[in-house]
């Protein structure tokens, strides 16, 4: 009876631990993308990067080591392969994804980004405002660039201004995967007041360009919707949300309700179950109020 009792206690403890792990996943994790031979997702807290292992080396994306050590990401890659890290590709210039690449550069990696990212960082450097561990790109992209390494092809595609003016879509044609950071969230409204974009309508246009590319699954820069990969429908839903928001805010602007009244009154119940709806919708409304109410 005592043995049975102890087994029952141990089972209860293990079940509780498993439940806690599910609710509080480890800070760092690596998983291979299902259906691929060499594509991995590295997660660091609420941020994700993609890396691809080839016979000639590794293509890594976003260091995501801003205010975090870079070592866990490098260790995750080394746990999978002993091949060198040949490239690091920046998705865009925001520090939470792009800062902290020094440890990768020390290993000899070549850094690639959109041309506007480099221009922005050079301006910050002139003002002594660039973070010390930020690595300037060695190569830049305008509209498109293709990287070929060890039998793997990776396309870097610029689809226009959105969450930033230098966001790159990274597409693996063979695997029909894309890595897209921040501007196409999965089951989540847009970030705060949709900063750092020239026009909300350009933002929508960039989402439509993303949807027109040939891919089946989307690896996001943040593990929204339970960490699942995105689909074309998710991007189409983002487009629908932005267009619905735009239409409702235009009505409010035409009625003279921008900013404060519109931010309180405009509701989109169709999307109320999306992440950040309660806390972020008013700020999303504010951005479109600038567009429809002030012209910028």
């Amino acid at each position: 009876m005592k043995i049975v009792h102890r087994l029952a206690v141990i089972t209860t403890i293990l079940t509780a631990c498993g439940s806690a792990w599910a609710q509080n996943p480890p800070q760092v994790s690596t998983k291979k993308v299902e259906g691929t031979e060499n594509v991995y997702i590295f997660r660091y807290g609420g941020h994700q990067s993609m890396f691809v292992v080839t016979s000639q080396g590794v293509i890594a994306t976003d260091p995501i080591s801003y205010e975090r050590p870079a070592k866990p990401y490098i260790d995750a890659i080394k746990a999978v392969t002993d091949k060198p890290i040949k490239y690091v590709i920046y998705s865009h210039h925001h520090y939470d994804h792009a800062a902290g690449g020094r440890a990768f550069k020390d290993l000899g990696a070549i850094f690639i980004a959109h041309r506007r990212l480099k221009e922005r960082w050079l301006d910050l450097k002139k003002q002594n405002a660039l973070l010390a561990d930020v690595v300037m790109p060695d190569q830049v992209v305008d509209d498109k660039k293709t990287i070929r390494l060890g039998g793997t092809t990776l396309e870097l595609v610029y689809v226009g201004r959105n969450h930033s003016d230098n966001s790159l879509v990274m597409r693996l044609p063979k695997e029909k995967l894309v890595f897209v950071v921040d501007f196409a969230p999965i089951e989540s409204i847009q970030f705060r007041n949709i900063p750092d974009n020239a026009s909300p309508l350009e933002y929508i246009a960039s989402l439509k360009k993303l949807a027109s590319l040939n891919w089946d699954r989307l690896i996001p820069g943040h593990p929204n919707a339970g960490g699942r990969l995105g689909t074309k429908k998710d991007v189409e839903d983002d487009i629908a949300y932005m267009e619905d928001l735009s239409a409702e805010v235009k009505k409010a602007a035409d009625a003279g309700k921008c900013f404060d009244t519109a931010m309180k009154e405009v509701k989109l119940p169709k999307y109320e179950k999306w992440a950040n709806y309660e806390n972020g919708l008013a700020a999303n409304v504010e951005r479109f109020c600038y567009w429809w109410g002030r012209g910028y």
Side-chain angles (χ1 to χ4, degrees), residues 188-190 194 204 235-247 268 270-271 274 277 280-282 284-285 288:
S188 177
I189 68 168
Q190 294 291 343
I194 317 179
I204 295 170
V235 176
E236 291 164 359
D237 287 346
D238 281 333
I239 294 167
Y241 167 74
M242 294 283 274
E243 290 183 333
D244 290 347
L245 177 64
S246 180
L268 296 172
K270 178 180 176 182
Y271 307 97
W274 280 16
Y277 177 88
L281 180 63
N284 279 201
V285 171
F288 277 89

Side-chain angles (χ1 to χ4, degrees), residues 82-283:
D82 59 359
K83 295 293 187 291
I85 301 171
K86 289 286 191 178
Y87 296 100
V88 174
I89 318 296
Y90 289 129
S91 65
H92 65 305
H93 72 280
H94 294 166
Y95 285 156
D96 61 323
H97 295 276
R102 180 58 55 191
F104 290 83
K105 191 63 181 174
D106 290 344
L107 294 174
I110 296 169
F111 281 67
I112 303 176
H114 190 271
R115 183 178 301 279
R116 288 199 185 101
L117 176 146
K118 186 171 185 177
E119 292 170 353
R120 183 184 295 264
W121 282 359
L122 286 173
D123 285 341
L124 287 171
K125 187 175 182 179
K126 288 177 185 176
Q127 301 166 41
N128 294 318
L130 189 67
L131 291 186
D133 62 348
V134 164
V135 175
M136 202 68 70
D138 302 294
Q139 300 177 14
V140 295
V141 183
D142 286 314
D143 293 326
K144 187 175 180 180
K145 182 181 180 70
T146 300
I147 297 172
R148 293 182 176 86
L149 184 70
T152 290
T153 298
L154 176 67
E155 295 175 354
L156 311 181
V157 184
Y158 180 64
V159 294
R161 296 185 289 191
N162 39 60
H163 180 75
S164 80
D165 65 357
N166 54 78
S167 295
L168 290 175
V169 173
M170 305 180 204
R171 189 176 84 93
L172 290 162
K174 177 185 174 182
E175 295 82 2
K176 300 191 78 173
L177 284 168
V178 286
F179 178 55
V180 179
V181 180
D182 285 351
F183 77 88
I186 300 172
E187 293 182 16
S188 177
I189 68 168
Q190 294 291 343
F191 178 68
R192 298 178 70 86
N193 62 346
I194 317 179
D196 197 21
N197 69 88
S199 156
L201 301 192
E202 281 191 57
Y203 198 132
I204 295 170
S206 77
L207 286 168
K208 291 180 178 179
K209 288 180 182 177
L210 169 61
S212 72
L213 298 176
N214 184 15
W215 57 271
D216 290 335
R217 293 181 293 169
L218 180 153
I219 300 171
H222 298 278
N224 295 328
R228 70 172 176 83
L229 300 189
T231 65
K232 282 286 182 76
K233 184 180 184 303
D234 288 310
V235 176
E236 291 164 359
D237 287 346
D238 281 333
I239 294 167
Y241 167 74
M242 294 283 274
E243 290 183 333
D244 290 347
L245 177 64
S246 180
E248 289 303 308
V249 176
K250 187 177 188 305
K251 292 177 186 176
D254 291 345
K257 293 184 176 182
C258 279
F259 288 81
D260 294 344
T261 302
M263 290 170 68
K264 293 176 182 177
E265 292 184 357
V266 172
K267 303 294 179 185
L268 296 172
K270 178 180 176 182
Y271 307 97
E272 63 185 5
K273 293 184 179 179
W274 280 16
N276 302 318
Y277 177 88
E278 291 295 333
N279 296 326
L281 180 63

